[in-house]
Amino acid sequence: MDAPSDRPPPEKPSAFGPLKGPVFRMLWFTWLAANTTMWMNDVAAAWLMTSIAPSPVWVALVQSAATLPVFLLGLPSGAFADILDRKRYFMITQFWVATVATILCVVILLDEMTAPLLLALTFANGIGLAMRWPVFAAIIPEVVPRPQLPQALALNGVAMNGSRIIGPLVAGAIIASAGSAWVFVLNAVLSIVAGIVILRWRRTHRESPLGRERLTSAMRVGLQFVWQSGRMKAILLRLSLFFLNSTGLMALLPLLARRLPGGEAGTFTVLLASMGGGAIVAALLMPRIRQWAPLQARVLWGTAIHSLAAVGVAYAPNIWVAVPSMMFAGAAWITVANSLTVAAQMALPDWVRARGMSIFQMGLMGATAAGAAIWGNVASALTLQYSVAISAVTGIALMALAQRVAIDRVTDDDITLSRAMKAPEVRAPPGAGRVQVQIEYLIDPARTAEFLALMEESRRSRLRHGVIEWQLLHDLYEPGRFIEQITDVSWTEHLRRFDRVTAADVNLRDAKLSFHIGDAPPLVTRYLVERD
């Protein structure tokens, strides 16, 4: 019989554990303020549009205008967040939002606001969101230990949904007492304060010895990484389907609030606050929820519960039925969103994290913008209730199909950066031109099928790291001789790949070396392409 262990039992993950770190705590309160201003802006803009142009299409387009910039500008923003000083970049986004809020305030006070102008300024405010989200997503894994990342992201969900309560309540009170213009004044003040807090954060930005990546190259590599990652593609499919259909409720909520008995700005605020309250409860329970159900089950059941709750809101005869339905919708929404966000963060190494999360956010916001426009037009053609009901049914059906077609094979690959592979040294840097690398393997011909399967993973890994071309050559006269041929866009980009190596890449290299039966290690040859 084994002797009892003197080790203390492993500490259970605490929902509030990450807040013990001062840097994360500072960033968390900054994120709370930033999201409060976002919700205040969205509530004020949506309610203002119901007065300027009460058509369902115009009202739904407010959400499209707010989210479309993230879809259009997310990738450049993510690339900037990976190659620039993240602290300064984050600070600039707050000052951008403050400037847009000031312009909105002035236009309203001058009584010059029109529906197209409101959409344009909402779009400009969305640009600030597009710039802000990828850099914040990339910063969080820097300041919390990896085991605490799910709890940190859940706390970010608490901040976002706490702001969903605080923002609408504050905005509704200001609109009722002083007018929409003063909502944007407060937005500007809060954004400036958040920017100053970020400015005071002491963070050292380390420039790469190779210099900054070019924007176009950084964007290309970010897209390649996601395209060659089976996990990220499965996550993005589920994300897009969920938000395409779930946004029908949020896009039409101002009009659903108006149709309730006594529906006014306060009703809209109460419904938003109810959704935020349900989301906060679910976020605090997220460690237990993650233990109860695996990722795919959380996503599917979360989609189903959100869809049923949305129908409950659409057909609610009064606010007493709508409020609990909104709470269930909020709980389901944060469960799905947090589950997919954590999965994406765990699949992205640090060097490409902002770009990967910007593509994640592009999928989210692009689906949200498309969904708002689609379900707004369906509501105009049919009724509000039919639009929400159709979005609910299609949401469940498409997610169930995605779970069967695109299986997310969760892996335990270690994506921490490794220095096990040393960059090559040359007497003088080569001139301009592509660099071609050839690695020669000698294997047992009887193991060719296994080797080819492994080399397929090597192809995906090389392309994720940014190579522009990969080939595997097989000697016609010597069956056990293979040459892996890799092309980089330049010598500098070739060297950058060694800064992107993770522990999983080292394991992959060792697996390839296990096939090599030559007396010496595989021969590596590098060439500069002089002419095509």
Side-chain angles (χ1 to χ4, degrees), residues 6-280:
D6 292 331
R7 294 182 182 179
E11 186 177 344
K12 291 183 179 180
S14 168
F16 298 99
L19 286 173
K20 295 177 181 178
V23 176
F24 177 79
R25 189 165 58 244
M26 177 272 294
L27 289 171
W28 187 84
F29 280 107
T30 302
W31 191 240
L32 176 64
N35 280 283
T36 298
T37 62
M38 179 189 73
W39 278 106
M40 289 171 62
N41 185 90
D42 288 354
V43 169
W47 195 254
L48 184 60
M49 186 63 83
T50 64
S51 301
I52 298 173
S55 162
V57 174
W58 280 107
V59 174
L61 283 175
V62 171
Q63 187 165 0
S64 294
T67 55
L68 191 57
V70 180
F71 181 72
L72 298 176
L73 304 175
L75 186 56
S77 176
F80 278 130
D82 273 332
I83 62 181
L84 300 178
D85 184 340
R86 288 173 177 172
K87 168 190 161 182
R88 292 182 179 274
Y89 189 60
F90 192 19
M91 178 186 66
I92 289 171
T93 67
Q94 294 305 113
F95 293 144
W96 173 281
V97 172
T99 301
V100 174
T102 302
I103 295 172
L104 273 162
C105 171
V106 170
V107 172
I108 294 171
L109 290 176
L110 293 176
D111 199 23
E112 296 293 335
M113 185 60 73
T114 62
L117 181 57
L118 178 58
L119 289 181
L121 290 172
T122 303
F123 184 89
N125 186 74
I127 292 175
L129 175 62
M131 295 188 296
R132 180 177 69 198
W133 199 88
V135 66
F136 184 79
I139 285 173
I140 293 305
E142 288 185 19
V143 299
V144 297
R146 186 176 175 84
Q148 288 188 338
L149 186 57
Q151 286 72 44
L153 296 176
L155 285 170
N156 289 345
V158 171
M160 186 170 64
N161 288 283
S163 67
R164 190 194 292 266
I165 297 174
I166 298 169
L169 286 174
V170 173
I174 294 175
I175 291 170
S177 60
S180 298
W182 296 101
V183 174
F184 300 112
V185 170
L186 183 57
N187 280 357
V189 172
L190 287 175
S191 297
I192 290 172
V193 170
I196 293 173
V197 170
I198 296 168
L199 180 62
R200 293 170 59 86
W201 173 27
R202 294 180 179 178
R203 177 186 183 270
T204 302
H205 174 63
R206 295 179 178 84
E207 288 280 358
S208 169
L210 299 173
R212 292 177 180 172
E213 268 187 275
R214 295 174 60 183
L215 178 62
T216 53
S217 176
M219 292 167 59
R220 174 186 62 80
V221 174
L223 284 171
Q224 272 187 213
F225 185 96
V226 171
W227 183 250
Q228 295 299 329
S229 170
R231 283 222 69 198
M232 284 299 297
K233 287 195 290 186
I235 291 167
L236 288 173
L237 175 62
R238 288 160 173 76
L239 180 84
S240 300
L241 291 177
F242 178 73
F243 281 93
L244 178 69
N245 294 285
S246 67
T247 197
L249 174 62
M250 288 303 299
L252 300 171
L253 192 60
L255 296 171
L256 292 171
R258 276 194 181 276
R259 63 169 287 275
L260 291 172
E264 53 187 18
T267 306
F268 180 44
T269 301
V270 169
L271 293 179
L272 282 176
S274 301
M275 187 173 188
I280 289 176

Side-chain angles (χ1 to χ4, degrees), residues 232-394:
M232 284 299 297
K233 287 195 290 186
I235 291 167
L236 288 173
L237 175 62
R238 288 160 173 76
L239 180 84
S240 300
L241 291 177
F242 178 73
F243 281 93
L244 178 69
N245 294 285
S246 67
T247 197
L249 174 62
M250 288 303 299
L252 300 171
L253 192 60
L255 296 171
L256 292 171
R258 276 194 181 276
R259 63 169 287 275
L260 291 172
E264 53 187 18
T267 306
F268 180 44
T269 301
V270 169
L271 293 179
L272 282 176
S274 301
M275 187 173 188
I280 289 176
V281 172
L284 294 177
L285 293 174
M286 197 57 64
R288 292 186 180 181
I289 294 173
R290 292 175 62 84
Q291 292 175 349
W292 290 339
L295 173 63
Q296 296 201 49
R298 293 198 303 273
V299 171
L300 182 58
W301 282 106
T303 300
I305 293 171
H306 185 280
S307 297
L308 294 174
V311 173
V313 175
Y315 286 90
N318 52 55
I319 196 170
W320 302 107
V321 176
V323 164
S325 296
M326 286 297 293
M327 293 183 70
F328 276 106
W333 184 91
I334 194 63
T335 298
V336 176
N338 176 265
S339 298
L340 293 174
T341 301
V342 171
Q345 287 275 21
M346 294 296 191
L348 293 166
D350 186 64
W351 66 268
V352 75
R353 192 179 303 279
R355 279 166 282 185
M357 293 309 295
S358 72
I359 294 171
F360 178 93
Q361 189 71 353
M362 285 169 63
L364 188 157
M365 291 301 187
T368 299
I374 290 170
W375 304 120
N377 278 283
V378 171
S380 293
L382 302 174
T383 66
L384 291 173
Q385 289 91 341
Y386 279 152
S387 180
V388 175
I390 294 171
S391 71
V393 172
T394 56

